[in-house]
Amino acid sequence: MTTYDCAIVGGGMIGAATAVALADLGLKIALIERFQPAAFEVNGTEPFDLRISAISLNSQQLLETLGAWPYIDQSRICQYKRLGVWEDDFAYTEFNAQEIGRAHLGYMMENRQIQLALWQVIQQHASISLLAPEQVKQFTNKADQVTIELGEQNITAKLLIAADGANSQIRQLANIGVTGWDYAQSAMLINVATSIEQQDITWQKFYPTGPVAFLPMPGNNASLVWYHNKAEINRLAALSNEQLAVEIANSFPEKLGEVNVLGKGAFNLTRRHANHYVSGRVVLLGDAAHTINPLAGQGVNLGFKDVKALQMAMAKAIGEGKAFDDPATLASYERARRSDNLMMMSGMDAIYQTFTHQSPVVKFVRNLGLFAAQRAGKLKSKALAYACGV
């Protein structure tokens, strides 16, 4: 039976980043993943994936530190410098990278790009054993180690780290409860070809039925996000691409221009927050610990902050001659991340609730707030810097 320092379940963006971050501390890591990511076509003509993320400056820095950034295909990512938000035109608010002394605010990129880049680092790392395809059947959380039963073998580890997503199997097996709810709306992701040249801005407009958003991608391409009630999203999802393009023209701002729909997908909006991030020798990160309203695209960035916080907590313990798996070390990770995650989740919920409230008085107040935000000077810059992780 092979023994590891940490066994990580979930080889997506957060799990893969965790594997590299902890292996860089000199720990022996097992990364357990059910499915290997498919590589992109060599000729670069493959359509963009629907699942993309807005990677913040802080997340970019982490990917650079982990050695993954050079493996990301720069031709398939899009740098953006501005962020626009509005409901009524008079209250248009725009955040610009120049306000915080940066060249850009972040990148739009496919989740698979990030995962594949991290896997390339993993495959070159002598301290990481990639167990894929493989899955956990069950585990025993003991006082000094975790025994993990896999499909083809059993292993032991000092820690079992769950990075296996919002419906985390490990979280459920560890009997860690969650608090949360389902939102009344669903969201639709739509890949489009645009008539307008490449843009350096991502924007979001709020309607009574929910926001619509524009996420720029390389070339004359973009990803649209359309929030609406579940019945309407189901209706839109059933349309042909040509029919959906007509609906987009009728419902999105004129500044979008003409689009040709290339692909689409829909998902329900949920909020989940684990009651604990640590239970015995089980540790939760990313969506296994928290899922957030995707309104501001902060989900993966919060997950990368979890990775960095866990690495720093363990590095501090090792540097002080303490055990990396000491309960106090794990508790410091939870303290560092739980309050920050909760604040961001609550903030997104407050924005969501404010913009879905149809009282004329509330509408006036929120537009007044956006009008003031555009003119808030240093306060506006500080809010932008916090959102970017700098």
Side-chain angles (χ1 to χ4, degrees):
M1 187 181 299
T2 308
T3 298
Y4 297 91
D5 291 313
C6 301
I8 301 167
V9 181
M13 295 182 289
I14 303 307
T18 305
V20 179
L22 299 188
D24 284 347
L25 297 180
L27 301 179
K28 185 179 179 181
I29 307 298
L31 180 60
I32 304 162
E33 170 56 45
R34 296 180 64 184
F35 306 105
Q36 296 192 24
F40 286 99
E41 295 177 0
V42 177
N43 59 17
T45 60
E46 188 173 344
F48 290 107
D49 290 349
L50 280 172
R51 296 181 64 81
I52 69 170
S53 294
I55 297 301
S56 69
L57 296 174
N58 190 56
S59 295
Q60 177 189 347
Q61 184 181 49
L62 177 64
L63 291 170
E64 290 172 343
T65 300
L66 298 179
W69 195 257
Y71 295 109
I72 292 175
D73 184 351
Q74 300 294 307
S75 70
R76 294 187 71 92
I77 69 177
C78 181
Q79 185 183 97
Y80 65 97
K81 302 177 181 179
R82 297 177 292 146
L83 167 63
V85 182
W86 78 102
E87 181 176 24
D88 289 341
D89 290 343
F90 83 90
Y92 177 81
T93 301
E94 185 172 295
F95 299 88
N96 194 306
Q98 294 179 350
E99 297 172 15
I100 56 174
R102 302 284 174 160
H104 58 279
L105 295 178
Y107 288 89
M108 298 295 176
M109 61 179 69
E110 296 152 295
N111 293 359
R112 183 159 54 117
Q113 273 258 65
I114 302 170
Q115 183 186 14
L116 285 169
L118 287 163
W119 274 49
Q120 285 200 245
V121 178
I122 287 167
Q123 289 164 349
Q124 299 171 29
H125 212 304
S127 298
I128 305 175
S129 296
L130 183 57
L131 308 182
E134 187 58 276
Q135 60 182 320
V136 175
K137 289 186 175 180
Q138 60 184 11
F139 64 87
T140 305
N141 196 350
K142 300 178 181 179
D144 59 342
Q145 66 180 17
V146 183
T147 301
I148 306 159
E149 182 182 342
L150 304 176
E152 300 296 330
Q153 60 182 305
N154 291 349
I155 63 174
T156 62
K158 291 290 186 180
L159 292 177
L160 177 58
I161 298 174
D164 52 342
N167 298 315
S168 171
Q169 173 202 17
I170 303 304
R171 186 188 66 219
Q172 295 173 39
L173 290 174
N175 293 316
I176 300 175
V178 297
T179 56
W181 54 81
D182 293 339
Y183 296 97
Q185 290 188 317
S186 293
M188 191 171 190
L189 303 176
I190 311 167
N191 281 357
V192 298
T194 61
S195 60
I196 300 174
E197 293 292 333
Q198 175 63 57
Q199 301 186 56
D200 66 356
I201 186 171
T202 177
W203 51 255
Q204 189 161 231
K205 180 174 182 179
F206 290 88
Y207 288 96
T209 54
V212 298
F214 171 88
L215 313 178
M217 291 297 286
N220 283 48
N221 293 281
S223 175
L224 307 182
V225 188
W226 194 342
Y227 298 80
H228 214 297
N229 65 62
K230 295 179 179 181
E232 178 63 5
I233 291 297
N234 288 338
R235 183 188 74 83
L236 294 170
L239 298 178
S240 68
N241 288 353
E242 293 72 21
Q243 292 170 324
L244 183 57
V246 174
E247 297 278 356
I248 290 170
N250 292 334
S251 301
F252 273 66
E254 290 184 3
K255 68 181 294 182
L256 174 63
E258 295 182 7
V259 299
N260 178 30
V261 175
L262 305 175
K264 59 184 183 293
F267 61 95
N268 294 327
L269 302 180
T270 62
R271 167 178 166 148
R272 299 286 186 272
H273 200 192
N275 296 337
H276 306 284
Y277 289 7
V278 178
S279 177
R281 294 186 170 275
V282 176
V283 181
L284 308 183
L285 293 97
D287 284 355
H290 47 79
T291 56
I292 186 173
N293 191 311
L295 201 61
Q298 288 299 307
V300 68
N301 295 310
L302 292 181
F304 282 136
K305 285 185 176 182
D306 292 350
V307 175
K308 185 63 177 179
L310 184 61
Q311 183 195 47
M312 291 180 65
M314 289 187 177
K316 183 175 184 294
I318 293 170
E320 295 174 349
K322 301 176 182 177
F324 69 86
D325 59 330
D326 187 274
T329 300
L330 304 181
S332 68
Y333 154 71
E334 179 163 354
R335 284 195 304 271
R337 292 305 306 141
R338 188 173 178 81
S339 58
D340 185 61
N341 287 333
L342 183 59
M343 182 172 67
M344 183 63 76
M345 295 169 77
S346 300
M348 291 304 99
D349 285 340
I351 294 173
Y352 176 82
Q353 293 296 334
T354 298
F355 279 94
T356 54
H357 200 295
Q358 294 310 305
S359 163
V361 174
V362 174
K363 180 178 179 180
F364 173 78
V365 171
R366 67 187 177 228
N367 277 279
L368 185 63
L370 287 174
F371 181 85
Q374 178 64 10
R375 295 153 181 82
K378 290 184 179 180
L379 184 61
K380 179 187 175 191
S381 298
K382 288 183 177 179
L384 179 60
Y386 176 79
C388 292
V390 297

